[in-house]
Amino acid sequence: NAGVTQTPKFRVLKTGQSMTLLCAQDMNHEYMYWYRQDPGMGLRLIHYSVGEGTTAKGEVPDGYNVSRLKKQNFLLGLESAAPSQTSVYFCATARTSGGELFFGEGSRLTVL
Amino acid sequence: RKEVEQDPGPFNVPEGATVAFNCTYSNSASQSFFWYRQDCRKEPKLLMSVYSSGNEDGRFTAQLNRASQYISLLIRDSKLSDSATYLCVVNKNSSASKIIFGSGTRLSIRP
């Protein structure tokens, strides 16, 4: 069981480039989340999904888009990367909305 | 004011010591509370849930004080392996979008 897998683990982008982060889970969880973590700040919710085919905005959604076409995958897209999007991105899943979160290993993104 | 506040530390204590830290939350309607542990450059992992009656798991004890709106984590007989950042997590109303993370308290255990 892989649990929650994020790809890629590291990426360097130039301002204006686009990219997609993939989160894949084999836990059959309904809830999936994308967070970003910056120094001195707690994890902040970007977007989340409560089931296949659904997505919703979190606390800091601007500059990001998401899709959940299959239950096991949650994609996070950056259409035009900006230096302010340099961060560590974590995907998480949960069986219930108030339950334990299971995180992927994180994706470190640097935008130059 | 942040919705969930933690002392960032670092707390630097000798092995075997007892250490405690608190986390305050602003929304009195918050329903569920957790402590997560995050090692350097790793993902957060659930340490323990915090129940109204408090709970204990080995050397770790978590307490909830609803009147004063804080939760606490006590670590007894600290080990070198306890060195990590401890994240306080509050779920405001069991909604998927209302999970709020504190910025973490860094703990360093010295030999």
Side-chain angles (χ1 to χ4, degrees), chain A residues 31 33 35 37 40-43 45 48 50 90 97-98 100-101 103-105 108, chain B residues 2 32 34 36 38 41-44 46 87 91 94-97 99 101-103:
Chain A
Y31 297 83
Y33 309 81
Y35 290 93
Q37 186 174 37
M41 306 184 76
L43 278 80
L45 183 64
Y48 65 100
V50 301
F90 286 102
S97 65
E100 179 181 355
L101 293 169
F103 286 87
E105 293 182 334
R108 294 183 174 276
Chain B
K2 289 182 181 179
S32 50
F34 308 87
Y36 280 73
Q38 185 173 25
R41 300 179 77 84
K42 298 286 190 179
E43 73 274 23
L46 180 68
L87 307 175
N91 192 320
S94 294
S95 164
S97 65
I99 303 169
F101 283 79
S103 54

Side-chain angles (χ1 to χ4, degrees), chain B residues 86-101:
Chain B
Y86 291 84
L87 307 175
C88 170
V89 181
V90 175
N91 192 320
K92 293 204 289 187
N93 61 0
S94 294
S95 164
S97 65
K98 301 300 182 186
I99 303 169
I100 309 297
F101 283 79

